[in-house]
Amino acid sequence: MTIETNAKGKVTGVVYVDADGKQQRQKARVIAVAANSIEPPRLLLNSANSAFPDGLATVRGKSDGITCAT
């Protein structure tokens, strides 16, 4: 699962795997990440792209102030 962004760094959608194991893409203007304490950093790091080669919300490949509420 990844969060997609455009060249300006704005969220454009998400890619996820459905119940049948097929990869799906959902366009979105806003994304709320609601998961346990491990998943948000993993999701953001997995969302690397040409604009964010180390993943989203990172500094040199490390999560940068990601706040998780449980």
Side-chain angles (χ1 to χ4, degrees):
M1 190 160 98
T2 61
I3 298 171
E4 296 183 322
T5 61
N6 63 18
K8 294 181 180 180
K10 300 288 184 181
V11 170
T12 59
V14 296
V15 176
Y16 66 95
V17 177
D18 68 15
D20 296 324
K22 293 182 180 178
Q23 193 175 67
Q24 302 289 335
R25 177 173 281 109
Q26 178 64 51
K27 291 182 181 180
R29 288 182 287 168
V30 176
I31 300 209
V33 177
N36 65 34
S37 62
I38 299 298
E39 292 304 313
R42 184 175 76 86
L43 174 61
L44 295 171
L45 290 170
N46 283 344
S47 297
N49 58 39
S50 60
F52 302 96
D54 293 325
L56 302 178
T58 64
V59 174
R60 293 177 299 282
K62 298 179 182 177
S63 60
D64 180 29
I66 297 169
T67 302
C68 300
T70 57

